[in-house]
Amino acid sequence: MESSPDLDPNKDDLPLCANTNHMLVRHYVLDLAVYIQRKVIAGSIVLFLEPGLGSSKQCESGCASNTQDQSQVSTKHDINSPITPEHKRLIPPEEPPYLIGGMDVGSEDESEEFTLVLDCCDLVVSRVEELDVTTVLDLKKLDVNEQDVYAGLVQRLVSMPSSCWRTQHELYLQCSRSSNIVNTQPLQFHMDRWSLQIRKKGVRTPHDFPCAVRIWYETKPTGGSVRWTKDQDGRCCVYTMGSPINNRALFPCQEPPVAMSTWQACVRAPCDFTVLMSGENQAFPEPAETGFQQWDYYVTMPMPASTFTIAVGQWLEAEVKVTNYVDDKLSLPLDSGDEEYICSHMDYPCRFMVGPARVQTVIPHRVFAPSCHLQKAQDMVLPLLPLCLTAAHSVLGVHPFPRLDVLIVPSGFSSLGMASPHIVFLSQSVLTGERNLCGARLCHEIAHSWFGLAIGARDWTEEWISEGFATYLEDVFWSHVQKLGCREAEEQRQLKALLRWRRLSDELQNSEEELQVLRPNKENTGEVSESGASVVKHALNPEKPFMQVHYLKGYFLLKFLADQIGEEKFLQFFKVFVGKFHGQLILSQDFLQMLLDAFPAMSRLNMDTYPSIHFWRKHNTS
């Protein structure tokens, strides 16, 4: 997607460059090491690729034009200082002389060659290579012969039934450890400010492109996706930022939300460090090379790459909880006649279809903190977690994820909390004062398990689908935790509504009008270019991270709807909505259309197709 001549990517829109219509990453295998002294994460990532929906059309000349260097900043790699991963496995050879600075070798036909475009920023890539997956003996389990292994490998791996997820991940892992194809040149690659572009000489279509690609790289200490800092005890640590550029400065990936994938990761860190990650399993450290331990995580639920989260530090667990971890994937599914839980998403081991998960009101959980906050975390957070989890289950039903870690992050954390699959970051600010602040914030982040994670926005500009719902539900959950009567609960919510209204009014008076629109793409919401590239409006505007519009306008729309419908019926509708759309990406229209179908009388209110504070202002005079 070519940039507008007046676009300043340093202040305004974030380009999503990946050509997801031509090629999709279906699975990532990360093999990384964390080097505390150097402040880098280094190693390799293997991408398993499948031609996308738009791959039937042969790529025209310039199919990577959407990734033009909009900032005029080059990140050419100096071959005189190659990256040499310090761990023992899969160390790449030195770069050959014909790959100069990581740039494409000139070719008369290169304009017609297919280019794989990945979102990438603040990374140093040293080598990209095609894997020889024909050496994986266990591929015979897929009935793939050596002649057509490239044509159908990833499709067959992806299409394995969810009951075979362990075998599927083992095959991914074996393939990721394959050597590169001998007697061939490394794949050609080029980096600009926002993307990594990869070609194979002579390949003109996505169908002929390698199905498994390994990228050797390391992060930069100043990369925008990770924060290297010190915890409250003065010890070094690193965690992902959740910044507007998401994970593109952590690993090369496809950032458009539609590029949903699974992943598995092996991360090595010094022995006295703990690696927490957004994985379905509770990982335990195993010995690695001298001075390092290895942590292995995985996910079986396809999710956008932006949801990948990691935190490495000398965290301590607030309490050793002895909990019976239910392995949902080995449990019997529900009766096929139970239509309430027939899933509409792609096949994966879904908790909504597992009997024990339906009645599991409290999922296994742990709390981590630096030593100076350990007692406060144990006294404040740990007792509240099961209460908040129970409240959420009573309102929305099945917990979408099988476990939850909560980490008290360093003091430089820029918000009160951040939710990712299986892990929540909390600011130390919630540990001070009464439990109301901590409890309400926990409820907000837990609500994101359903709205924001299990159900995501197909267009990132529609943040209200995540933040508006979480803001509304935090009051509902917290009322349940407090066991308030109807009158007390209503008084508390009205007080919060008044405070939020004042905050929103102040923000509307002191910010640019363009930043106040919840659907800045308007009728183009969810649309992408022919290649799949798009932009996130205003994502890089320096004012955007400090604004609450998408939280508060979304909250007031939902409050207005609840007042019209009745809260009990409205929350029951939420539960039905979650049952239908979990595991999927939605737009505002999906929610509002289902609401109008469920409550036809609401159509007489002549609602627009996007949330607006005017609803609340018009119908609430108190």
Side-chain angles (χ1 to χ4, degrees), residues 122-188:
D122 295 332
L123 295 178
V124 181
V125 174
S126 62
R127 187 177 178 88
V128 182
E129 56 195 20
E130 177 182 0
L131 300 190
D132 185 5
V133 295
T134 61
T135 61
V136 177
L137 298 178
D138 283 351
L139 286 180
K140 61 185 179 181
K141 297 177 182 177
L142 299 180
D143 295 323
V144 176
N145 59 51
E146 186 171 332
Q147 284 69 39
D148 68 357
V149 66
Y150 290 102
L153 171 66
V154 175
Q155 291 93 327
R156 298 191 189 194
L157 279 171
V158 171
S159 63
M160 291 180 70
S162 57
S163 58
C164 300
W165 70 270
R166 292 184 189 277
T167 301
Q168 182 188 50
H169 275 209
E170 179 59 31
L171 289 172
Y172 277 131
L173 187 60
Q174 290 183 35
C175 290
S176 74
R177 292 175 175 171
S178 302
S179 60
N180 59 306
I181 297 180
V182 298
N183 300 323
T184 61
Q185 296 181 1
L187 299 179
Q188 301 167 356

Side-chain angles (χ1 to χ4, degrees), residues 449-599:
S449 292
W450 288 267
F451 292 97
L453 297 175
I455 298 176
R458 206 166 84 212
D459 186 323
W460 273 341
T461 62
E462 296 207 300
E463 296 167 273
W464 83 276
I465 292 174
S466 174
E467 298 299 353
F469 279 81
T471 303
Y472 176 81
L473 287 168
E474 79 173 66
D475 293 353
V476 178
F477 295 172
W478 187 233
S479 294
H480 280 249
V481 172
Q482 295 173 291
K483 301 186 184 301
L484 297 180
C486 293
R487 182 176 178 179
E488 291 176 296
E490 182 59 25
E491 289 177 352
Q492 186 178 94
R493 290 180 203 175
Q494 289 296 337
L495 177 59
K496 285 191 173 183
L498 176 60
L499 295 174
R500 287 169 178 152
W501 170 246
R502 290 180 175 176
R503 187 188 317 161
L504 179 57
S505 298
D506 181 68
E507 190 164 294
L508 294 179
Q509 294 171 19
N510 295 282
S511 61
E512 298 178 27
E513 187 173 350
E514 284 189 350
L515 297 178
Q516 301 170 14
V517 180
L518 293 195
R519 297 178 70 244
N521 285 337
K522 300 179 181 178
E523 68 277 3
N524 296 320
T525 292
E527 293 187 7
V528 297
S529 71
E530 182 181 350
S531 72
S534 61
V535 296
V536 183
K537 295 291 290 182
H538 311 307
L540 297 175
N541 190 300
E543 293 183 34
K544 184 71 181 293
F546 302 101
M547 297 189 66
Q548 296 283 303
V549 163
H550 45 289
Y551 291 76
L552 301 178
K553 280 191 175 182
Y555 158 79
F556 280 118
L557 170 62
L558 296 174
K559 185 180 186 305
F560 161 73
L561 295 174
D563 290 343
Q564 299 299 311
I565 296 169
E567 184 181 79
E568 186 175 348
K569 290 182 179 180
F570 193 49
L571 292 177
Q572 185 59 38
F573 169 76
F574 270 26
K575 199 169 185 178
V576 176
F577 181 80
V578 166
K580 179 178 180 179
F581 283 104
H582 70 274
Q584 300 176 71
L585 302 173
I586 67 168
L587 298 173
S588 297
Q589 293 92 322
D590 297 314
F591 172 73
L592 294 174
Q593 186 59 57
M594 184 172 173
L595 182 84
L596 293 176
D597 291 343
F599 304 101

Side-chain angles (χ1 to χ4, degrees), residues 269-291:
C271 289
D272 50 346
F273 282 73
T274 297
V275 177
L276 301 178
M277 198 179 294
S278 51
E280 293 171 15
N281 60 311
Q282 179 181 330
F284 297 96
E286 298 180 358
E289 61 262 34
T290 303

Side-chain angles (χ1 to χ4, degrees), residues 391-450:
H393 182 274
S394 68
V395 175
L396 297 178
V398 185
H399 288 282
F401 304 106
R403 68 177 194 94
L404 178 65
D405 284 340
V406 176
L407 172 65
I408 306 300
V409 286
S411 55
F413 190 59
S414 58
S415 67
L416 288 178
M418 186 184 78
S420 301
H422 321 102
I423 186 169
V424 164
F425 292 167
L426 280 185
S427 166
Q428 64 182 29
S429 301
V430 304
L431 301 178
T432 60
E434 300 180 1
R435 70 174 194 161
N436 283 16
L437 177 60
C438 182
R441 178 48 51 173
L442 278 174
C443 288
H444 182 102
E445 304 306 337
I446 289 171
H448 279 309
S449 292
W450 288 267

Side-chain angles (χ1 to χ4, degrees), residues 17 64-76 103 117-118 120-123 190-197:
C17 302
S65 62
N66 58 321
T67 61
Q68 293 177 358
D69 189 354
Q70 303 176 59
S71 62
Q72 305 301 314
V73 176
S74 175
T75 55
K76 299 178 184 178
M103 300 299 292
V117 183
L118 301 173
C120 181
C121 181
D122 295 332
L123 295 178
H190 167 71
M191 295 184 71
D192 59 29
R193 181 182 178 93
W194 293 115
S195 72
L196 170 64
Q197 302 160 34

